Amino acid sequence: MKRLLLLALLLFSRLALAAGYDAPGAFTVLCYHEVRKDVRDYPDPYAVDEGALVAQFAWLRGNGYTPVSLEQIVTARSGGKPLPAKAVLITFDDAYLSFYTRVFPLLKEFSYPAVLAVVGKWIDEPPGTGGQVGAQFGERGTVPAASFPSWAQLREMSSSGLVEIASHSYDLHRGTIANPQGNLEPAATTRLHTAGSYENDSGWIERVRADLQRNSERIERETGRRPRAVVWPYGSYNGALVRIAADLGMPVAMTLEDGPNTPAVPLAAMRRILIAHNPTLPEFAAAMRGPQDPQPVRVVQVRLDDLYDADPSVQ
């Protein structure tokens, strides 16, 4: 009986998710990263082909979607002008140089607003070295060192009225040692393991707060605008981080949790559709429309006793 109830709840959640894309006041957020002229031989799974991006932008226009700015979303949530039907927020993480050379011209051509998440240290690093910092967590370990725009180029885009700069942390977009075994976990949410002990709560709070504050101040100093949105590196966050960001003037926070942003979804936990593996146009369209049919869910029950053994050799 419990299994039947669980399956029923999973089915209901899938159907509710699909219906949420068309709910009044709902909006969809797209999450892009690198844009390449040709991605066939490029190893980053989050890179998309420039031609594919043009086709996706055109598809949005041709199918009644309206790209909106973060300002429009905040205004609508504050009781101001409602969002149009099929509202879409376009976001780009990591602030690669390709955003300036390839995406920014497209935004001007289509008159589409976008949010660009900036890792401060990667902009401050010498050209061609910052990408190696981002590779430490593993998912880009085989990707050549990335290039990033200058602060002058970021100022140009910020002043255009089309691009809003968000914080992607100053130096939390990396992995850090999380346990005695040396496993790497996201630096923003992990208690550091050094010299045989774990970072305490107050040390963690002080570290992440200082990092987020540094990035906000850096962005404000260079662009004249303090970020009001934070994009969590790797989508890893917790309630304490959300509160710290809000206290630093960033009440908007973006995750990598999938699904539509109905009025019930707080702006402090904004959902985004991750665009990966250079999807075909039909695949992109399917992602925009949401799941149309219930998807199978496979569940495996694992006991904690199966994950730990006091004998180090067994472990």
Side-chain angles (χ1 to χ4, degrees):
M1 183 65 182
K2 289 183 178 179
R3 290 183 180 180
L4 289 176
L5 179 59
L6 175 61
L7 290 174
L9 289 173
L10 290 171
L11 176 60
F12 175 79
S13 66
R14 291 282 181 171
L15 293 174
L17 181 64
Y21 284 87
D22 298 322
F27 61 93
T28 303
V29 184
L30 299 177
C31 173
Y32 291 94
H33 288 79
E34 174 76 289
V35 178
R36 306 290 296 186
K37 190 68 175 178
D38 189 341
V39 301
R40 285 177 296 179
D41 297 321
Y42 195 67
D44 188 346
Y46 303 120
V48 298
D49 190 273
E50 183 178 12
L53 182 64
V54 173
Q56 291 165 16
F57 279 10
W59 185 91
L60 292 174
R61 174 167 291 173
N63 287 272
Y65 289 86
T66 302
V68 296
S69 65
L70 183 58
E71 176 64 24
Q72 289 175 272
I73 291 172
V74 172
T75 297
R77 283 294 183 90
S78 302
K81 184 178 179 180
L83 293 174
K86 293 186 174 182
V88 180
L89 178 64
I90 300 172
T91 69
F92 281 79
D93 289 6
D94 302 346
Y96 290 111
L97 181 60
S98 64
F99 185 89
Y100 180 75
T101 59
R102 295 190 172 97
V103 179
F104 188 42
L106 289 177
L107 297 178
K108 291 188 285 188
E109 181 69 24
F110 281 86
S111 295
Y112 284 177
V115 173
L116 179 63
V118 171
V119 181
K121 185 173 182 179
W122 294 2
I123 309 301
D124 288 339
E125 291 283 336
T129 62
Q132 297 303 323
V133 177
Q136 290 184 19
F137 190 43
E139 91 279 19
R140 293 192 183 91
T142 59
V143 177
S147 296
F148 301 93
S150 65
W151 285 112
Q153 290 167 330
L154 289 170
R155 279 194 297 273
E156 176 188 345
M157 293 188 287
S158 176
S159 63
S160 71
L162 289 175
V163 179
E164 178 162 339
I165 304 297
S167 173
H168 209 19
S169 82
Y170 186 81
D171 187 26
L172 296 176
H173 200 311
R174 56 185 175 84
T176 190
I177 295 178
N179 53 40
Q181 291 74 36
N183 297 114
L184 295 178
E185 295 294 339
T189 51
T190 299
R191 304 304 194 267
L192 307 182
H193 186 273
T194 56
S197 63
Y198 288 95
E199 183 179 36
N200 59 32
D201 286 351
S202 60
W204 170 77
I205 290 174
E206 182 180 353
R207 174 172 61 86
V208 296
R209 182 184 180 87
D211 181 279
L212 294 175
Q213 182 171 342
R214 180 179 183 181
N215 207 45
S216 289
E217 292 174 350
R218 189 80 175 94
I219 292 171
E220 182 178 27
R221 184 164 62 251
E222 294 291 347
T223 68
R225 296 179 175 88
R226 193 175 184 89
R228 59 176 162 181
V230 60
V231 177
W232 301 121
Y234 312 111
S236 181
Y237 73 103
N238 54 38
L241 273 176
V242 171
R243 291 189 291 273
I244 291 170
D247 186 52
L248 293 173
M250 295 179 289
V252 178
M254 302 186 189
T255 74
L256 286 177
E257 296 168 9
D258 203 1
N261 291 278
T262 64
V265 177
L267 295 187
M270 196 178 291
R271 298 170 177 172
R272 298 190 297 163
I273 298 174
L274 178 61
I275 305 299
H277 303 291
N278 196 34
T280 64
L281 196 56
E283 290 170 339
F284 175 80
M288 287 299 303
R289 293 178 176 131
Q292 301 302 304
D293 300 303
Q295 301 296 308
V297 177
R298 295 174 175 85
V299 180
V300 177
Q301 181 180 8
V302 180
R303 299 180 306 157
L304 289 178
D305 289 343
D306 295 330
L307 303 178
Y308 174 77
D309 194 282
D311 184 347
S313 63
V314 175
Q315 179 66 31

